[in-house]
Amino acid sequence: MTVHSVSPHSRIREFDLSLRDGGTLHVYDAGGRDSTALPLLWHHGTPNTGHPPIPLLAAAETLGLRWIGYDRPGYGGSTPAPDRRVSCAAVYAEAITDELEIDHFAVMGHSGGGPHALAAAALLPDRVVAAVAVASLAPFGPAGLEPEAYMSEMAASGVAALSAAVMGRNVKEAYENEYGADYDPEFSPGDIAMFDGEWSWFIDVVQAGAASGPAPAIDDDLAYVRDWGFDPASIQTPTLLLHGRVDRVVPAAHSQRLAEVIPNVELRLDPGAGHISVIAGSQDALAWVARYKE
């Protein structure tokens, strides 16, 4: 383990973690002096990096939560892992928490990070005590939503990008090389307003994620529309789903479908929120997570 830096502003320690397969994960740890804090492992969206959300650091500390995050393979300081599955997130979660000598932890993911957080909950049931998925995708196909429902009410650029992924790597790579730079998520007015305040943090992590080029985002999209490597119906961990009804990046039908199959689940739909503005309700979600501190 090699320590890289500690940011005085965010109090985040960063280090590189070597994996058994020879890869490397870049990890962020808010640490803190409270040994009773419940670790909360952040799973980022596409394309982002894994720096925990700065606007939520203070609230988490007050609630006794310890943010940890990591760059998914190919993003930021993590080495690529082409053709990874969503279920690989459980392997990464286990490696990170083992390194930090953490037995039990919670998970939280936004957008494309939602499926990865759910993977850890499904595949590490003895270690993950609570899971939050914000604006999460559902599986593509029989385990989730069939193609028409999956794409319904999704922005045209998202439909095109994920439809290319359904056709396989060659088609997806060709699509990104020709059209990827023109991707328009069609954020809601509420989403756009978020970028002018403290949640301009999203711009920073998106720019950092995009700096890695299209390859990790291609791997993400391919993983989203393939078999995830686990069935959300197998999740026994208490799970909270947050979604905005005016989200056109990932329509609310995705969380509604997840809520139908995850046994121990609570779904909160915000009637006026979009893909980014739904995160404004995350402080309440953190309070929900804090209930599961030992």
Side-chain angles (χ1 to χ4, degrees), residues 25 90 140 222 230:
L25 289 183
F140 179 85
L222 290 171
F230 70 97

Side-chain angles (χ1 to χ4, degrees), residues 60-101:
E61 186 173 359
T62 298
L63 289 164
L65 302 175
R66 168 187 174 185
W67 279 110
I68 300 167
Y70 70 98
D71 300 336
R72 257 195 317 278
Y75 290 109
S78 296
T79 53
D83 298 319
R84 53 184 163 80
R85 301 169 84 182
V86 171
S87 58
C88 289
V91 176
Y92 306 143
E94 186 171 39
I96 292 166
T97 52
D98 282 352
E99 176 67 26
L100 295 173
E101 299 182 340

